[in-house]
Amino acid sequence: MATDILTCTDRISRAVAADDLAEVSALTDPLSPAEVTRVLERLPPKTRAVTFRLLRKDRASIVFDSLDPALRAEIVTGMRSTDVTQLFEELDPDDRVWLLEEMPASVATKLLHGLSPEERRVTDAILGYAPGTAGRRMSPEFVSTHPELTVAQTMLRITARLQDAETVYLLPVVDDGRRVQGVVSMRALLGAPSQTPIAELMREAITVPAGLDEESAARRIATQGILAAPVVDLENRVVGIMTLDDAARIVERAEDEDTARQGGTEPLDRPYLSTPIRALVRTRIVWLLVLAVGATLTVQVLEVFESTIEQVTVLALFVPLLIGIGGNMGNQAATTVTRALALDDVEPRDVLRVFSRELRTGLLLGVLLGALGFVIAGLFYSTMIGLVIGLTLVALCMVAASVGGVMPIIARALKVDPAVFSNPFISTFVDASGLVIYFVIAKVVLGL
């Protein structure tokens, strides 16, 4: 199937280049919407827009809904206004907001003006919340019920809203003031007699404040394993609902960003093959410049201890080894703590506990690695060189682990993305400090 997608993509590209639009339609018609999506993700922007315009309207809506927001934005700019308005109208309100965030302000305003009054109202309700909050990712289209209603009455509510509701598998139970009293699942409704009051079936609700950070809200839903959660305002009144699939998309996007930044790049926010070369350069150049500046610190340290290296040239052979171990140790600690912060296992006030744990972890790892380094360096060179390497590994592991564990917490306290402080900054710090530790120990042990 992968080969078929690749072949189809190549043939579509050639057909568009030759203005053979009939061939493009013939190639896309046999494909499922999921396969069309994969093909579009691999095509250049202009070819993608032409191919999308040739899809049948019923398929175009399905495919458009499955594309990343950045690709949707590119397609919108290459389409006629009437087609864009129809596609935009058919999107769910929360997906519509995802798309608006990728569009230039002038285009977004034009799209909003083209909506029907009702769709404009629900979209404006989401846009009223700050970017990055749960309110921006909720759907205002949901079905609620009341504790005094029966199962039969609730099922009638569900039937009336079945086409436009975001989900009917979990319903908020609200009082007359729209304050959440609990939730009831479709499973419970289907398994109860029709005259059973909802008050007997509802259970405690796990709610999400509308002003909560979207990633925290999404992780709350994902870790609880619930299908959806009511989104509430400051007075516990339900204003929307966030589903598990939306939460999973938010968590996936957040983890993609963390992974990219831990690797020294910015997130792409779109499939790799559809990302322009200029965008790839922009995502990497900043971090490469940071690392280049940091590398000058390492050069300065080596220059300071140049006389030490000249006296015992064998010391220079172990520099790459020590830099590599220190950087990996720091990054391991940073990744572990960043993950714990994301899951709310650790808070900024736990900084001393984390420092203590990582210091002890670094000590134990340092002793193990140091003993190995002492034996190997002692056998191949001398006991004193082995002692230098062993002691350096112990000290370096303690510093790298403790710094790597603490820096993400400091970042969170400063309201900065912890991933930004991971690989590039930790590697730079540990490289410089590790060399200082190494040559200071060498001078003391070897009497230089």
Side-chain angles (χ1 to χ4, degrees):
M1 181 58 68
T3 302
D4 293 341
I5 293 295
L6 293 175
T7 302
C8 186
T9 302
D10 292 339
R11 293 178 64 185
I12 288 174
S13 295
R14 291 195 296 269
V16 172
D19 290 329
D20 190 351
L21 302 186
E23 175 67 8
V24 176
S25 296
L27 290 169
T28 55
D29 282 345
L31 301 178
S32 68
E35 290 170 334
V36 174
T37 300
R38 291 178 58 193
V39 168
L40 291 176
E41 289 175 347
R42 304 179 68 88
L43 291 173
K46 292 183 179 179
T47 307
R48 185 186 306 121
V50 171
T51 304
F52 183 84
R53 285 203 301 269
L54 295 173
L55 296 175
R56 299 193 308 271
K57 286 188 176 181
D58 57 334
R59 304 184 74 207
S61 179
I62 299 172
V63 171
F64 190 76
D65 193 48
S66 65
L67 289 171
D68 287 345
L71 296 189
R72 292 181 191 170
E74 285 185 359
I75 287 175
V76 164
T77 58
M79 294 177 63
R80 297 188 301 271
S81 59
T82 53
D83 294 334
V84 170
T85 300
Q86 182 179 352
L87 279 174
F88 193 61
E89 181 92 17
E90 292 173 355
L91 287 174
D92 291 331
D94 51 335
D95 290 331
R96 200 177 291 142
V97 171
W98 277 92
L99 175 58
L100 288 172
E101 291 176 349
E102 297 289 337
M103 303 295 298
S106 58
V107 178
T109 302
K110 185 176 180 180
L111 289 174
L112 282 172
H113 285 316
L115 290 173
S116 64
E118 176 60 22
E119 293 298 329
R120 174 71 183 271
R121 183 187 64 80
V122 294
T123 304
D124 285 343
I126 299 178
L127 290 171
Y129 294 94
T133 61
R136 273 290 180 104
R137 298 294 172 243
M138 70 178 184
S139 173
E141 296 180 326
F142 61 94
V143 181
S144 64
T145 186
H146 191 281
E148 296 179 3
L149 292 180
T150 64
V151 169
Q153 291 170 321
T154 300
M155 292 302 293
L156 288 175
R157 285 192 171 197
I158 292 173
T159 303
R161 297 286 309 281
L162 197 58
Q163 297 302 317
D164 61 350
E166 176 77 8
T167 182
V168 295
Y169 297 112
L170 191 78
L171 277 62
V173 182
V174 300
D175 61 16
D176 295 333
R178 296 199 350 264
R179 288 181 290 273
V180 177
Q181 304 298 302
V183 293
V184 63
S185 67
M186 177 62 76
R187 185 187 186 96
L189 292 173
L190 293 176
S194 60
Q195 296 306 310
T196 305
I198 295 299
E200 296 181 9
L201 300 177
M202 70 181 189
R203 52 186 170 82
E204 184 179 357
I206 298 174
T207 60
V208 171
L212 183 65
D213 170 76
E214 64 178 31
E215 184 179 347
S216 300
R219 292 191 183 279
R220 179 181 299 184
I221 294 172
T223 55
Q224 292 291 335
I226 54 179
L227 294 175
V231 181
V232 297
D233 62 13
L234 295 176
E235 297 180 2
N236 203 39
R237 293 177 301 190
V238 63
V239 293
I241 196 165
M242 181 181 286
T243 59
L244 180 59
D245 60 335
D246 287 335
R249 179 165 58 164
I250 293 169
V251 171
E252 181 182 9
R253 186 168 181 170
E255 291 183 346
D256 286 345
E257 291 178 356
D258 290 345
T259 301
R261 286 171 179 155
Q262 287 170 1
T265 67
E266 286 296 315
L268 297 179
D269 293 331
R270 62 171 65 206
Y272 171 78
L273 291 176
S274 66
T275 304
I277 298 299
R278 292 192 304 274
L280 290 175
V281 172
R282 286 197 303 269
T283 62
R284 301 178 186 180
I285 187 61
V286 174
W287 297 107
L288 289 175
L289 291 174
V290 169
L291 289 172
V293 172
T296 61
L297 297 177
T298 304
V299 173
Q300 293 298 317
V301 172
L302 290 173
E303 184 177 349
V304 169
F305 290 97
E306 184 177 1
S307 60
T308 304
I309 297 175
E310 289 177 350
Q311 294 180 60
V312 185
T313 55
V314 71
L315 293 177
L317 300 177
F318 292 94
V319 169
L321 169 69
L322 297 175
I323 287 178
I325 289 178
N328 287 332
M329 181 73 65
N331 291 328
Q332 286 177 340
T335 301
T336 302
V337 175
T338 299
R339 177 69 174 170
L341 284 169
L343 297 175
D344 293 328
D345 291 339
V346 171
E347 298 179 3
R349 63 184 178 182
D350 297 319
V351 61
L352 293 180
R353 295 180 61 189
V354 171
F355 178 81
S356 174
R357 291 175 63 85
E358 290 299 331
L359 188 67
R360 286 177 287 165
T361 301
L363 174 61
L364 291 176
L365 290 170
V367 169
L368 293 173
L369 293 174
L372 181 63
F374 171 75
V375 172
I376 294 176
L379 287 175
F380 283 94
Y381 298 98
S382 68
T383 302
M384 299 303 289
I385 294 296
L387 184 60
V388 171
I389 300 303
L391 291 176
T392 299
L393 285 171
V394 173
L396 181 59
C397 288
M398 292 174 64
V399 170
S402 56
V403 170
V406 167
M407 288 188 77
I409 298 180
I410 296 174
R412 173 63 64 86
L414 296 174
K415 301 188 183 303
V416 178
D417 188 345
V420 172
F421 280 80
S422 55
N423 290 23
F425 288 97
I426 291 174
S427 296
T428 299
F429 176 83
V430 171
D431 288 353
S433 61
L435 289 177
V436 172
I437 292 171
Y438 177 40
F439 289 118
V440 167
I441 290 177
K443 293 186 71 171
V444 172
V445 172
L446 300 177
L448 301 177

